[in-house]
Amino acid sequence: MKKWLYTLLVVVLAACSNEIPEQQPAKRSGRTVLAYLISNNKAGSLDTYLRDNVIDMYIALGNMKESCTLLVFYRPYTGDTPLSNPTLMSFYTDGRGNVNSQPVLSGDNLTFEAVCQIAQKKEYTMNSQIATDPVVMKEVFTDMQIVAPSDSYGLILGSHASGWMKGNSVQSKAFGDDDGYNIDIPDLADVLKNSFSEKLDFVLFDACMMGTAEVGYELRETTSYCIASVMETPVYGFPYDQILPYLYSENVDYSAVCHEFVSFNKTNNLWGTCAVMDCSQMENLASAVKAKLSEWQDALSSVSMQNVQQYGVGSYRYFSYDVLDFFRELGRKSGVVKTTDLNEAIASVQSALNQAVIAKDCLSGVDYDFDGVVIDGTRFCGIGMYILEEYNPYVANKTAWNDYYKQSISWYHAAGWDDLNLN
């Protein structure tokens, strides 16, 4: 009789295994990793690659030697299958080769469709709402925390992006592209701050051009660390089968995360940069930049911007310059000529960068040229920043960029640009 009841219980539980349970789950120790992926963009340009990313995350889970949880919100390309609606998928591995109580898929059985099939799921109809709407994002992040209460969270954001720039302007995407709609970075920072009671352990941007001082500064109250590239990110994204185990570690090896990303791009004959910002140090970096800009402001109009490492291509060319390389050039124009003197003169900025950028890696040299941008590894500090039209002739016609930067981006004031004498 007991055996019959046990068998019946197993059957009932198995039948419900693809639905997120209604009852409050027990809180798990350690970190839960969350992913917010948006593929509903022009012609589904990222759909194939984001699907592959989910498969790679699943592979990593299957290889974990400890139990852990992964939640993936996936906004599919309109009319796509197997997910007809935006869906929150939950995956739990026991650390013994099982995901959601089933042996890990492999070989020909390992497909996006199969991975979605075993996921515990919650669908969102959204109607006219979009995945970059702050209300929608907050709802999903709240649901994630209900599904998987945890000591802490790390967040992966995957989609198109264009750094600090305003969405729906100058062909910009800010973060996310859901049928052309985006969320601006100050608004994203507010969503994260309002959605989580504690700072996120990290935010990883699997998206273009997010590795800037402006982005890191906006996120300083929402996350401890920001992982991003200052350049455009190849569509393949991060190699999650390699990096996900690092993201579950109590003390994340951020240097290894950067190295794996850059090594993956090198293997695939691509380009790439990756850096990790300690967002708690962005105030200190802003102060160092502000002090040096004030000290050398008379030389700003003399800076030869063509001599500074820049990271943008196409319509985004000149959106971001290497922070330290800019001060090297500014120092030369200020009269600090000797290399030893120059290094000493910019030591305050270098010191602040050493604290703010805790890991970095890049593919440097002409073999990794991307649309005319060649990274000089000896000049790569990890992150970039915008140089306004008053001091940069290359953006003199970027009215929308400059106006939005001054009105909405906190770094503009924190770094002291607004205090400079423009005469």
Side-chain angles (χ1 to χ4, degrees):
M1 184 65 174
K2 290 182 179 180
K3 182 177 180 181
W4 180 84
L5 288 173
Y6 175 79
T7 302
L8 178 60
L9 178 61
V10 170
V11 171
V12 170
L13 290 175
C16 298
S17 64
N18 67 337
E19 298 177 358
I20 293 176
E22 294 295 331
Q23 68 269 23
Q24 178 72 24
K27 182 177 179 180
R28 297 191 183 280
S29 60
R31 179 184 304 113
T32 293
V33 175
L34 315 173
Y36 198 95
L37 310 179
I38 305 173
S39 72
N40 187 34
N41 24 74
K42 187 176 181 181
S45 57
L46 290 181
D47 196 42
T48 297
Y49 305 102
L50 289 176
R51 285 171 173 236
D52 289 343
N53 292 160
V54 173
I55 292 172
D56 285 345
M57 292 176 189
Y58 174 86
I59 291 172
L61 285 181
N63 291 329
M64 293 292 292
K65 302 305 181 186
E66 297 179 353
S67 62
C68 57
T69 302
L70 169 71
L71 301 184
V72 179
F73 172 79
Y74 197 93
R75 170 58 156 157
Y77 183 49
T78 301
D80 210 353
T81 56
L83 301 177
S84 57
N85 291 307
T87 303
L88 175 58
M89 298 186 287
S90 178
F91 302 95
Y92 169 72
T93 178
D94 59 6
R96 296 189 294 272
N98 301 299
V99 175
N100 290 358
S101 302
Q102 299 184 39
V104 174
L105 300 167
S106 61
D108 293 340
N109 294 323
L110 180 55
T111 65
F112 182 71
E113 290 77 6
V115 170
C116 291
Q117 183 63 37
I118 71 164
Q120 296 177 346
K121 294 185 283 291
K122 175 179 179 178
E123 291 190 355
Y124 298 81
T125 55
M126 288 189 177
N127 297 321
S128 62
Q129 294 176 304
I130 55 173
T132 53
D133 185 320
V135 174
V136 172
M137 297 187 81
K138 188 175 189 300
E139 177 185 355
V140 174
F141 291 141
T142 299
D143 287 344
M144 286 176 161
Q145 294 169 83
I146 293 172
V147 170
S150 180
D151 286 345
S152 65
Y153 298 93
L155 175 63
I156 297 166
L157 293 170
S159 187
H160 288 298
S162 56
W164 57 264
M165 288 188 277
K166 182 175 178 58
N168 297 319
S169 67
V170 292
Q171 301 179 28
S172 177
K173 297 182 180 68
F175 171 74
D177 182 355
D178 186 351
D179 197 24
Y181 291 93
N182 339 97
I183 184 168
D184 296 329
I185 302 311
D187 293 333
L188 175 62
D190 286 342
V191 168
L192 297 180
K193 185 176 181 180
N194 294 331
S195 299
F196 296 92
S197 59
E198 302 289 338
K199 278 187 179 182
L200 292 160
D201 287 349
F202 61 81
V203 172
L204 185 157
F205 284 105
D206 197 341
C208 295
M209 303 160 54
M210 304 303 283
T212 68
E214 291 86 358
V215 172
Y217 190 84
E218 292 290 344
L219 297 181
R220 67 194 184 283
E221 296 180 357
T222 68
T223 184
S224 295
Y225 299 97
C226 176
I227 309 166
S229 171
V230 69
M231 291 182 70
E232 293 200 24
T233 303
V235 291
Y236 298 102
F238 280 72
Y240 292 102
D241 54 335
Q242 299 297 317
I243 73 164
L244 203 62
Y246 294 114
L247 301 182
Y248 282 105
S249 299
E250 181 177 357
N251 298 307
V252 179
D253 187 342
Y254 287 111
S255 293
V257 172
C258 291
H259 175 73
E260 292 290 354
F261 174 72
V262 169
S263 296
F264 174 78
N265 288 353
K266 182 177 182 179
T267 299
N268 287 280
N269 298 314
L270 299 167
W271 67 94
T273 70
C274 187
V276 181
M277 289 177 274
D278 180 344
C279 293
S280 70
Q281 296 295 323
M282 295 307 293
E283 291 275 14
N284 182 48
L285 178 60
S287 296
V289 168
K290 182 176 184 177
K292 196 56 65 177
L293 285 176
S294 177
E295 179 184 350
W296 287 345
Q297 64 178 303
D298 291 342
L300 278 166
S301 59
S302 312
V303 170
S304 301
M305 295 306 299
Q306 70 270 22
N307 294 333
V308 182
Q309 174 78 67
Q310 75 92 22
Y311 297 108
V313 302
S315 60
Y316 302 116
R317 198 171 295 275
Y318 312 120
F319 96 102
S320 195
Y321 290 82
D322 190 275
V323 175
L324 191 63
D325 205 39
F326 172 75
F327 281 103
R328 289 192 189 99
E329 179 63 16
L330 182 58
R332 294 185 187 99
K333 296 301 181 181
S334 71
V336 181
V337 179
K338 294 180 181 179
T339 302
T340 53
D341 293 340
L342 179 59
N343 289 339
E344 183 177 344
I346 62 174
S348 60
V349 178
Q350 177 72 81
S351 176
L353 277 167
N354 289 344
Q355 297 175 63
V357 181
I358 63 167
K360 62 178 181 176
D361 205 346
C362 69
L363 291 172
S364 64
V366 294
D367 290 341
Y368 305 103
D369 172 286
F370 175 56
D371 197 20
V373 174
V374 176
I375 305 301
D376 181 346
T378 65
R379 298 159 66 193
F380 173 66
C381 81
I383 62 174
M385 69 176 183
Y386 187 59
I387 309 299
L388 285 96
E389 61 181 331
E390 289 87 350
Y391 318 107
N392 183 5
Y394 295 110
V395 297
N397 63 337
K398 302 290 189 181
T399 302
W401 290 12
N402 292 298
D403 289 349
Y404 178 71
Y405 193 85
K406 294 175 182 178
Q407 294 168 5
S408 302
I409 300 302
S410 301
W411 177 262
Y412 168 72
H413 302 285
W417 288 109
D418 57 334
D419 290 337
L420 298 179
N421 182 358
L422 302 182
N423 297 328

